[in-house]
Amino acid sequence: MTINLRTLAHAGIALLVGGMFGQLVAAPIQETHAGIAVIHGGVGAEERAAIEQTASGYNLKLTFARKGSGAYLFGVKVVVRNTQGRVVLDTTASGPLMLAKLPDGAYSVAATEQGVTLSQNIAIKGSARRDWVFRFDLPKGAEPEAT
């Protein structure tokens, strides 16, 4: 896993400046995994808006929520495999939204929260974005929820 150091530096500056003025500034996390660009976060409305502003450059959008209430989840483990079963992306989403730039192809996406794994097969073709919501059926109070 390679972390985009420039983004981390900007996020750190934004948090420092925001902290000096009594507020935190939303900063989604940007990473690159084996050449695949990923952005995740979305805890809070400002951070979700920041992610949505960059969404046009990504061809996969995943959302993680609790089944029933729709409460957003964070800390979800995400593993994406190609048709040969090779892991092309393995990360933990820091918020309820995750965007990725995947090459054309068919993929199996597995999302795990509190020991519950949900899977979905997704085909990626060009820049057309695929959106998928993973809705976890978890016991009340068993998971972290994002606001």
Side-chain angles (χ1 to χ4, degrees), residues 1 35 48 56 60 65 68 100 102 111 122 146:
M1 170 175 76
R48 282 191 297 278
S56 64
L60 177 63
L102 293 169
I122 294 177

Side-chain angles (χ1 to χ4, degrees), residues 46-80:
E46 287 179 15
E47 195 170 314
R48 282 191 297 278
I51 289 174
E52 290 296 340
Q53 287 179 344
T54 63
S56 64
Y58 294 83
N59 57 10
L60 177 63
K61 177 184 176 189
L62 303 176
T63 304
F64 312 106
R66 183 179 177 149
K67 189 175 182 178
S69 71
Y72 286 131
L73 302 173
F74 63 93
V76 176
K77 173 85 168 158
V78 178
V79 177
V80 179

Side-chain angles (χ1 to χ4, degrees), residues 120-139:
Q120 178 63 37
N121 292 326
I122 294 177
I124 299 293
K125 182 138 176 93
S127 62
R129 191 171 84 193
R130 294 294 312 267
D131 292 17
W132 188 257
V133 179
F134 285 99
R135 293 177 178 89
F136 290 88
D137 191 7
L138 302 168

Side-chain angles (χ1 to χ4, degrees), residues 3-22:
I3 298 174
N4 184 327
L5 295 177
R6 181 182 224 181
T7 301
L8 283 177
H10 288 160
I13 292 168
L15 288 172
L16 177 63
V17 171
M20 290 187 322
F21 293 101

